[in-house]
Structures are given as C-alpha cells and as structure tokens.
C-alpha cells in the first residue's frame, strides 16, 4: 500500500506541478489580452498629442505646421469622444470575439465632433492669414469652404461590419472567435483539474504534516521559478526593435509590456508565499491525520 500511495502522490504531485504554471499563464492571458477593461485602460494611457507630433513632425508640409502646433487644443476637445468610441469599439469587439453577439456591426458616429473639427480648422487656418487676406477672401467664405470640405471628407459614421471589412478579414475574426472559445473552455477545465488534483493530494496524503510539506513544495517550485521569469520579462522591451517610432509610443509600449506580465508576477509571488507558509510549519508540527481511519493509502 505504501507503494501505491507513493505512486499516487508522485503522479498527482507531478500533474499539479505542471498545472500550476499553466494556470498562471492562463490567468495572465485572461486578465490582460482577453479582458476588455485592461485594453481600454491601456489605450487611454497613450499620449495622443506626443505620438501624433512624433509621427508628423518630420513628414509634414511647412504650410501644415500651424495645424500641428495647435493640435493639442483639438485633441483636448475631442478626447472625450475618442475615449467613448474606443470603449464602444472594444466592448462590442470583445462581445463578438467571445461569442456573446451574433454579428459584428459597429457604427462609429462623427456628428459629435464635426462642429469641433470645423471650428478648429477654421480658427487655425485663419491664424495663418494676414488681415488683408482675410478681408479679401471673406471669413464667411472661408468658413463655408472649410465646412464643405470637412463634411465631404468626414462621413456621418464609420461602419465596421462584413461589408466594410471584407470577407478575408471576417474569416480571420471568425478563426480568432473559435480560438477564444477553445481557450476559455480549456481554461475552465484547467481550473477544475487543478482543484481536483489538490483534493486528491489531500485525500492521499491525509496527514497534516505531509499535506503541508508536499503542497508547500509544489507551490514553492513554480513560485521560485516564476518570480525571476517575471523580472526577466520586464527587461525584454529594452531589446525590442523600437527605433524610429515616437518616444511617447516607445514609452507606452514599454509600460504595456510591464502591465501584460504583472498578473504573472503577482501569481508567482502568491505561490511563493503560499509555499513558504505551508512548508515552514511542516517542520514544526507532529504527524497527525485529517481523519484517523484505516484505508488503502493510510
């Protein structure tokens, strides 16, 4: 019977030792890449003004420089709209990818920001003209021309659906949708398996001292290995080929990578603390069974 008990402990312990890091990776992915709240928060951390200026400053025509310099006022005015539409697109997109909505049909309205854009373009353009030029052209004519141009350039709404995205893109999205469904099902089964393995280990070991010793070691190993892996991942962005992109975007990508691995670091640290909290007391307590009954593994 001791042989069977040792075999069961070895098998269940090994499976649990494998499942714990995999579960940590799954939790990390679920709380970041598959979490719309995480993506919305990360997007809102982008310094839009700095990123836009970084991309345009070396490529913009001289006559457009006043618009670039005055872009901070426009961004400040339309930022609430940008955040609102970003939340709408991310929430709707995730609902589709996770299978909560049947069809992808997003409608991003522009009516809210058209007057703001027209007013900003008009004021900025007028600031580039002399008093004589304004008098010759006429403010009303300038305003009407700008309004007409923006009305033509900016549609009432941007639609994201099968027609606008194309069949190839929709097939790719369907593939992602199926992959997410498989991932979520696998994650649920992994949680059940991990919990079952813990219960089986407790039932086989029975003695408090052995339970604390074995479960402490099994928790400690992935914790000890996971923490240095976390710190290693924090340094990876330094080796990414990020040259040639705006400094603000570079900073955001670095912060994004840190936020992506943060759940893994927390999970590993928790396993490490749990392992120590169980292993250390196991050296100071006597061997007592959970329930003193005869059994195959006793």
């Amino acid at each position: 019977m001791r042989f069977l008990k040792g075999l069961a402990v070895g098998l269940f312990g090994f499976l649990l030792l494998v499942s714990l890091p995999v579960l940590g990776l799954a939790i990390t992915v679920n709380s970041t890449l598959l979490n719309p709240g995480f993506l919305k928060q990360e997007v809102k951390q982008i310094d839009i003004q700095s990123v836009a200026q970084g991309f345009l400053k070396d490529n913009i025509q001289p006559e457009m420089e006043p618009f670039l310099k005055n872009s901070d006022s426009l961004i400040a005015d339309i930022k609430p709209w940008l955040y609102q539409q970003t939340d709408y697109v991310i929430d709707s997109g995730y609902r589709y990818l996770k299978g909560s909505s049947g069809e992808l049909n997003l409608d991003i309205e522009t009516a809210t920001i058209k007057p703001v854009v027209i007013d900003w373009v008009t004021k900025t353009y007028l600031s580039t003209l002399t008093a004589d030029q304004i008098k010759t052209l006429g403010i009303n004519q300038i305003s009407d021309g700008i309004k007409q141009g923006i009305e033509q350039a900016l549609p009432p709404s941007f639609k994201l659906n099968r027609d606008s995205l194309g069949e190839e893109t929709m097939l790719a999205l369907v593939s992602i949708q199926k992959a997410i469904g498989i991932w979520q099902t696998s994650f649920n089964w992994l949680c059940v398996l991990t919990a079952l393995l813990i219960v089986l280990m407790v039932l086989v070991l029975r003695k408090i001292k052995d339970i604390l010793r074995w479960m402490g070691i099994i928790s400690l190993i992935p914790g000890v290995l996971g923490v240095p892996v976390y710190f290693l991942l924090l340094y990876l962005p330094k080796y990414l080929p990020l040259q040639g992109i705006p400094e603000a975007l570079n900073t955001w990508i670095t912060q994004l990578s840190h936020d992506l691995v943060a759940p893994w670091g927390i999970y590993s640290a928790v396993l490490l603390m749990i392992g120590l909290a169980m292993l250390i007391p196991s050296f100071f307590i006597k061997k007592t069974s959970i329930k003193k009954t005869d059994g195959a593994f006793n």
Side-chain angles (χ1 to χ4, degrees):
M1 294 303 173
R2 289 182 179 273
F3 172 75
L4 292 178
K5 178 178 179 179
L7 184 63
V9 170
L11 177 61
F12 297 150
F14 173 75
L15 292 176
L16 187 57
L17 193 61
V18 172
S19 69
L20 284 177
V22 176
L23 180 61
L25 177 61
I27 290 174
T28 299
V29 173
N30 276 6
S31 60
T32 55
L33 297 179
L34 296 183
N35 179 12
F38 172 83
L39 185 56
K40 288 189 289 187
Q41 180 181 352
E42 294 299 317
V43 169
K44 290 175 183 178
Q45 291 180 8
I46 300 175
D47 188 345
I48 303 173
Q49 172 68 14
S50 298
V51 171
Q53 288 188 344
F55 274 118
L56 298 175
K57 65 180 181 180
D58 296 327
N59 304 308
I60 198 170
Q61 298 296 326
E63 60 270 18
M64 297 299 293
E65 288 184 2
F67 292 89
L68 180 61
K69 292 179 180 178
N70 195 34
S71 59
D72 56 342
S73 63
L74 175 64
I75 292 175
D77 289 337
I78 68 172
K79 190 173 287 187
W81 175 86
L82 285 173
Y83 287 162
Q84 182 185 39
Q85 297 306 312
T86 297
D87 289 351
Y88 164 66
V89 171
I90 291 175
D91 285 335
S92 301
Y94 269 81
R95 279 198 298 270
Y96 171 75
L97 292 176
K98 290 185 175 183
S100 300
S101 61
E103 289 291 334
L104 182 65
N105 188 18
L106 308 185
D107 193 356
I108 305 172
E109 61 86 16
T110 61
T112 306
I113 60 165
K114 271 188 180 181
V116 178
V117 174
I118 292 171
D119 182 64
W120 174 79
V121 172
T122 302
K123 288 180 178 178
T124 305
Y125 179 68
L126 289 174
S127 68
T128 65
L129 303 178
T130 63
D132 291 337
Q133 288 175 321
I134 295 175
K135 185 177 180 180
T136 301
L137 296 173
I139 293 180
N140 291 335
Q141 281 187 308
I142 294 173
S143 299
D144 291 342
I146 291 173
K147 181 178 180 180
Q148 184 178 0
I150 292 177
E151 288 286 355
Q152 293 176 350
L154 199 62
S157 65
F158 294 99
K159 296 185 181 296
L160 296 178
N161 51 35
R162 183 176 296 275
D163 294 332
S164 62
L165 294 175
E167 194 64 29
E168 187 173 337
T169 302
M170 291 303 301
L171 288 175
L173 291 176
V174 169
S175 298
I176 295 174
Q177 187 183 60
K178 291 179 179 178
I180 290 176
I182 295 172
W183 171 272
Q184 195 60 52
T185 301
S186 302
F187 174 75
N188 293 336
W189 278 109
L190 179 61
C191 291
V192 173
L193 174 63
T194 303
L196 179 62
L197 288 171
I198 293 173
V199 172
L200 289 173
M201 285 289 289
V202 172
L203 292 177
V204 171
L205 291 169
R206 302 183 68 82
K207 294 180 173 59
I208 300 296
K209 184 182 182 72
D210 292 340
I211 292 172
L212 292 176
R213 181 75 55 85
W214 276 96
M215 295 304 296
I217 293 173
I218 292 172
S219 300
L220 194 62
I221 292 174
V224 169
L225 296 177
V227 170
V229 168
Y230 164 71
F231 286 106
L232 178 64
L233 292 173
L234 291 181
Y235 284 96
L236 282 183
K238 295 183 178 180
Y239 302 98
L240 294 176
L242 300 178
Q243 297 80 9
I245 67 174
E247 181 63 27
L249 190 58
N250 194 328
T251 302
W252 178 77
I253 292 174
T254 301
Q255 183 60 49
L256 173 63
S257 65
H258 289 179
D259 293 341
L260 282 171
V261 300
W264 171 264
I266 295 172
Y267 180 82
S268 299
V270 169
L271 281 183
L272 179 60
M273 290 186 290
I274 290 175
L276 290 174
M278 298 180 75
L279 183 61
I280 293 174
S282 71
F283 292 99
F284 301 98
I285 63 175
K286 296 180 180 179
K287 282 192 175 183
T288 56
S289 299
I290 292 179
K291 187 177 181 181
K292 293 183 178 180
T293 58
D294 294 331
F297 295 114
N298 199 11

